[in-house]
Amino acid sequence: MKLATHISFGGNCEAAFKFYEKALGARIKFLTHFEGSPMAQGAPPELLNKVLHATLQVGDFELSGDDFPGDPKWQGFTLTLHTPDPAEAERLFNALAEKGNITIPLKETFWAIAFGALTDQFGIPWMVNCEKPM
């Protein structure tokens, strides 16, 4: 069994995935729009250039997303990146913080060489964690 995360971005999935691709060194594996799909028929015109489904490969993890209309509630989850490299933790944190809101600055804690939390420019909460060696 494999557990994956899916986020409905409500209109900016493509921009978010392109940002994550660059910021995280990830790879967009799949991205299709409503236009040209069987779901285009009957879809409102403003939805045609939006993402029907996308998949982003981040290391061993896959994140999928879409632009289905609605007002998603972001409460109750946080995407967390774990890295053993403090420099990589800093790079990831700074990249995701671009145009975002830092809630916990990246700093040393009792469990981590570096830990920080932020909400990115797309309203998605992230934590970056670089644990201390055991």
Side-chain angles (χ1 to χ4, degrees), residues 4-87:
T5 300
H6 183 94
I7 300 174
S8 291
F9 285 86
N12 56 11
C13 181
E14 188 166 2
F17 272 35
K18 285 180 179 178
F19 174 76
Y20 299 149
E21 186 174 46
K22 181 180 174 188
L24 304 176
R27 181 176 64 90
I28 296 174
K29 289 177 52 175
F30 181 81
L31 192 144
T32 189
H33 297 93
F34 281 87
E35 188 171 44
S37 80
M39 297 203 48
Q41 188 174 26
E46 63 274 8
L47 203 56
L48 293 177
N49 67 342
K50 299 298 181 186
V51 174
L52 173 63
H53 183 78
T55 305
L56 183 75
Q57 187 73 41
V58 185
D60 294 336
F61 178 78
E62 283 188 359
L63 174 67
S64 61
D66 65 47
D67 278 327
F68 280 90
D71 184 19
K73 303 288 185 209
W74 301 126
Q75 296 175 341
F77 80 93
T78 301
L79 298 177
T80 305
L81 296 169
H82 296 276
T83 178
D85 180 0

